[in-house]
Amino acid sequence: MSSELKTPIRPDDVRRFNVGDVVYISGVIYTARDKAHAKMLSDPQRPFSLRNACIYHSGPLIVKEGHNYRIIAAGPTTSARMNKQTPAIVKEGVTAIIGKGGISSEVVRSLTDRCFYLAFPGGCGVLAKEKIEEVLDVYYAELGFTEAVWKLQVRDFGPLLVAIDSHGESIYENIQASSRAKLSQ
């Protein structure tokens, strides 16, 4: 199944997808890596809402030109780096996480019935850039361009593979189980 979703993404939207489905997202997404996750969770005055938000695990390569920003590349970063903070981010209302490489079993359980994990192809930072229409804002710029939270307007962002669905199914765990079974044969 291939579908287009528009942000904000509600938990009901997420529940209709299963591992292996392909999704394209249009609307607002936020980039966040390690330091941004820590800052978001510790900031009682967070300047944006995580309710029904889409977080993209990315540290985009951006240059400032006058008062504007230009994205050079925006590939995904390894999501497991954010394992510790992801359950708390999901509790704040995040419904979609985009990244690469998967997440821990504990984090998979935290997604149940409320959020899904979408894998973006690693090494495709220029493809991601082509799907970004505009940089709308930057938060926590003091963390540096790579670690800051970038609010991006995207159109048909993807292809994104539903790698972990809101029902607890994980393509990563399925592949490991299949590999173990074949190895034991």
Side-chain angles (χ1 to χ4, degrees), residues 98-112:
I98 303 168
K100 74 174 182 183
I103 50 183
S104 72
S105 296
E106 176 188 342
V107 178
V108 170
R109 286 189 298 277
S110 78
L111 305 183
T112 302

Side-chain angles (χ1 to χ4, degrees), residues 34 57-58 76-83 99-103 117:
D34 316 56
H57 290 163
S58 176
T77 197
T78 303
S79 296
R81 292 173 35 200
M82 279 65 72
N83 276 343
K100 74 174 182 183
I103 50 183
Y117 177 83

Side-chain angles (χ1 to χ4, degrees), residues 2-6 22-26 131 156-160:
S2 179
S3 296
E4 183 173 319
L5 280 174
K6 295 191 184 317
V22 175
V23 176
Y24 293 85
I25 293 179
S26 295
K131 306 293 184 158
D156 298 327
F157 193 80
L160 305 168

Side-chain angles (χ1 to χ4, degrees), residues 1 11-13 31 34-36 48 56 73 76 92 100-101 109 121 123 128 135 138-139 149-150 158 162 168 171 175:
M1 174 171 137
D12 286 345
D13 298 328
T31 67
D34 316 56
K35 291 180 184 175
F48 55 95
Y56 179 32
E92 291 286 325
K100 74 174 182 183
R109 286 189 298 277
V135 174
V138 59
Y139 307 106
V149 173
W150 294 91
V162 178
I171 197 168
I175 289 170

Side-chain angles (χ1 to χ4, degrees), residues 34-182:
D34 316 56
K35 291 180 184 175
H37 276 70
K39 183 76 172 175
M40 287 187 292
L41 290 170
S42 68
D43 183 1
Q45 304 296 320
R46 187 182 319 121
F48 55 95
S49 174
L50 292 175
R51 182 136 203 89
N52 298 330
C54 178
I55 298 290
Y56 179 32
H57 290 163
S58 176
L61 180 56
I62 296 180
V63 294
K64 188 170 185 178
E65 297 173 334
H67 295 293
N68 298 316
Y69 297 100
R70 182 169 58 89
I71 296 181
I72 296 173
T77 197
T78 303
S79 296
R81 292 173 35 200
M82 279 65 72
N83 276 343
K84 184 177 176 182
Q85 299 110 332
T86 299
I89 292 290
V90 171
K91 280 185 184 176
E92 291 286 325
V94 168
T95 51
I97 298 170
I98 303 168
K100 74 174 182 183
I103 50 183
S104 72
S105 296
E106 176 188 342
V107 178
V108 170
R109 286 189 298 277
S110 78
L111 305 183
T112 302
D113 208 35
R114 60 170 73 185
C115 184
F116 61 4
Y117 177 83
L118 305 166
F120 190 90
C124 293
V126 174
L127 171 65
K129 171 208 163 244
E130 297 299 322
K131 306 293 184 158
I132 299 169
E133 296 184 313
E134 183 180 2
V135 174
L136 299 173
D137 213 337
V138 59
Y139 307 106
Y140 310 130
E142 70 274 11
L143 299 176
F145 276 17
T146 304
E147 291 290 339
V149 173
W150 294 91
K151 182 179 181 180
L152 307 174
Q153 179 72 38
V154 299
R155 179 180 298 269
D156 298 327
F157 193 80
L160 305 168
L161 177 69
V162 178
I164 302 167
D165 62 28
S166 66
H167 315 292
E169 189 80 15
S170 167
I171 197 168
Y172 304 104
E173 290 176 6
N174 293 349
I175 289 170
Q176 280 186 335
S178 173
S179 297
R180 280 190 206 107
K182 287 180 184 178

